[in-house]
Amino acid sequence: MQTGKTVASPLILGIETSCDETAAAVLRGRAILSNVIASQADIHREYGGVVPELASRHHLERIDAVIDMALRRAGVSLDDLDAVAVTRGPGLVGSLLVGLQAAKAIAYVRRLPLLAVNHLEGHLRSVWLEHPAAAFPAVSLIASGGHTSLYLSADEERVVRLARTRDDASGEAFDKVAKLVGLGYPGGPVVDRLAKTGDRLSVRLSPPKMSDGSLDFSFSGFKTAVLRHARARGLDRRFPAGEPDQETRDLLASFQSAVVEFMVKRVMTVAIRERALSIGLSGGVACNSLLRSRVAEEARKAGLESYAVSPSLASDNAAMIAEVGRRLLLRGEIADLAVNADPGLEF
Ligand code: KG4
Ligand code: ZN
């Protein structure tokens, strides 16, 4: 295996299969040449959430075609690559293994450096990949279906986690609430759309109080409060016909607003306390229109820059994985071909 040959702008293939998106991307340096994402949402929708066995099987069926497409769209071939980067965790073990095997095969056959990437670091860096001029210190919120954490970065190297969720992730709360009122998976996008025609002041949902003054997140209380309200009002329908009624849309708007304001408050508290100069939003929930506009508004009021990544870089993607890989390559942190998936990898 080649070890980290020094190339100013290496050509890196990224591969991501940690959950239900089969993704591959090609970066030259920090320039995204292609970013292919094959979503499995249609497959998991009828089950109301990701079914791990189905996810790994579909990754297996699609991975080769997705990699081919990423190379073709980038106008390069395997011969041109300088390295292969792949997510090694956290995520579903069966899904992770598919990407890891594909990356190992390419690295072995082409004698390329293998770069084993933490998925969450990918989400964090997606903001700076898209907005390289973002100022530091920076506060970053990663809000996704599996994680919701807050980080402070003195610069691109020095990153510390300040808070995480103690129970559900924010995206998980969106998904569970959507399922509760009979809407499909993933719930975030549909709640976002329906909340636009609902009254966010109709149902009062209080944010959790942390008795120890911690900045940690907690979303399960919002979900339970929605469940109680929906049951009391008969809104917890399994298969409602047509579009949800006004009362359901009011409840969804109230839920979305409560969850978003809770996250905005945490982000702004940390940003001001730590004298941050910019705020970054990443992860699937960063697609939420209310979260994007509220963070932008509060950041503007406080005189801070704010960056919410574009949807193609917010949800799971392989461009962010290639970007972390690029940094590992620069540091010479090449993975052994025996590297294993780590479903519980921390960041
Ligand atoms: O980052 P991501 O694609 O996968 C994980 O790493 O989990 O995030 C997926 C999550 C899902 O829970 C989905 O419902 C949520 O992001 N999501 C949204 C929106 N779009 C996606 N949540 C709220 N509003 C949205 N517009
Ligand atoms: Zn993710």
Side-chain angles (χ1 to χ4, degrees):
M1 194 200 335
Q2 237 174 279
T3 43
K5 76 175 171 186
T6 329
V7 179
S9 292
L11 191 71
I12 300 186
L13 170 68
I15 298 175
E16 152 65 37
T17 61
S18 66
C19 190
D20 62 340
E21 329 276 357
T22 315
V26 177
L27 259 65
R28 189 185 300 280
R30 286 185 118 171
I32 302 172
L33 304 188
S34 65
N35 187 20
V36 177
I37 304 168
S39 172
Q40 299 181 3
D42 288 345
I43 291 149
H44 301 286
R45 187 163 291 128
E46 65 177 293
Y47 303 96
V50 178
V51 182
E53 291 77 5
L54 289 182
S56 33
R57 193 191 315 157
H58 282 91
H59 283 309
L60 205 51
E61 282 171 10
R62 294 173 176 185
I63 187 76
D64 290 344
V66 167
I67 291 172
D68 277 350
M69 194 180 288
L71 293 168
R72 222 170 334 114
R73 285 193 186 164
V76 302
S77 78
L78 288 175
D79 295 333
D80 304 318
L81 296 178
D82 292 305
V84 186
V86 62
T87 306
R88 72 175 281 242
L92 302 168
V93 68
S95 293
L96 289 165
L97 285 171
V98 176
L100 208 52
Q101 275 313 116
K104 283 180 184 180
I106 295 171
Y108 178 72
V109 172
R110 301 280 160 164
R111 300 184 156 275
L112 292 172
L114 178 70
L115 308 161
V117 172
N118 184 315
H119 177 85
L120 294 171
E121 184 175 357
H123 276 306
L124 178 95
R125 297 197 182 283
S126 63
V127 174
W128 305 324
L129 175 62
E130 189 173 41
H131 303 282
F136 289 90
V139 165
S140 309
L141 175 71
I142 301 180
S144 73
H147 301 268
T148 300
S149 302
L150 206 48
Y151 299 83
L152 175 68
S153 307
D155 51 44
E156 282 205 45
E157 305 301 323
R158 290 175 294 162
V159 182
V160 282
R161 189 181 68 204
L162 298 181
R164 64 195 306 188
T165 180
R166 293 191 175 177
D167 40 55
D168 293 348
S170 50
E172 194 179 352
F174 272 93
D175 295 338
K176 286 179 176 170
V177 161
K179 191 173 176 183
L180 185 72
V181 295
L183 301 169
Y185 170 85
V190 62
V191 171
D192 193 349
R193 178 175 63 82
L194 293 169
K196 289 191 167 68
T197 53
D199 174 8
R200 67 181 176 82
L201 299 175
S202 65
V203 184
R204 213 180 118 70
L205 300 167
S206 310
K209 288 189 184 59
M210 297 293 171
S211 51
D212 54 4
S214 153
L215 288 166
D216 277 349
F217 295 99
S218 167
F219 296 98
S220 69
F222 290 117
K223 176 197 64 192
T224 311
V226 169
L227 173 68
R228 228 178 281 127
H229 183 90
R231 284 210 178 128
R233 302 290 310 162
L235 305 173
D236 55 335
R237 302 180 205 102
R238 253 331 258 124
F239 303 108
E243 281 285 280
D245 58 17
Q246 188 61 48
E247 195 177 354
T248 302
R249 283 182 275 137
D250 290 346
L251 176 60
L252 294 176
S254 302
F255 161 75
Q256 175 177 269
S257 171
V259 165
V260 164
E261 292 308 324
F262 174 54
M263 289 194 282
V264 171
K265 184 122 190 266
R266 285 277 192 274
V267 168
M268 293 311 299
T269 301
V270 170
I272 290 164
R273 189 188 75 187
E274 304 291 341
R275 300 176 194 277
L277 295 180
S278 73
I279 294 171
L281 297 184
S282 59
V285 181
C287 296
N288 186 268
S289 55
L290 184 65
L291 179 64
R292 295 174 85 92
S293 64
R294 287 289 295 121
V295 168
E297 189 181 347
E298 291 302 316
R300 200 178 325 110
K301 277 194 220 156
L304 306 179
E305 300 171 6
S306 75
Y307 305 96
V309 283
S310 304
S312 64
L313 288 176
S315 297
D316 288 348
N317 67 87
M320 67 184 193
I321 303 305
E323 163 63 3
V324 179
R326 182 185 69 83
R327 300 173 60 83
L328 292 169
L329 183 67
L330 281 176
R331 294 204 299 268
E333 290 182 34
I334 313 301
D336 193 277
L337 280 180
V339 65
N340 208 348
D342 187 348
L345 193 61
E346 296 259 334
F347 181 67

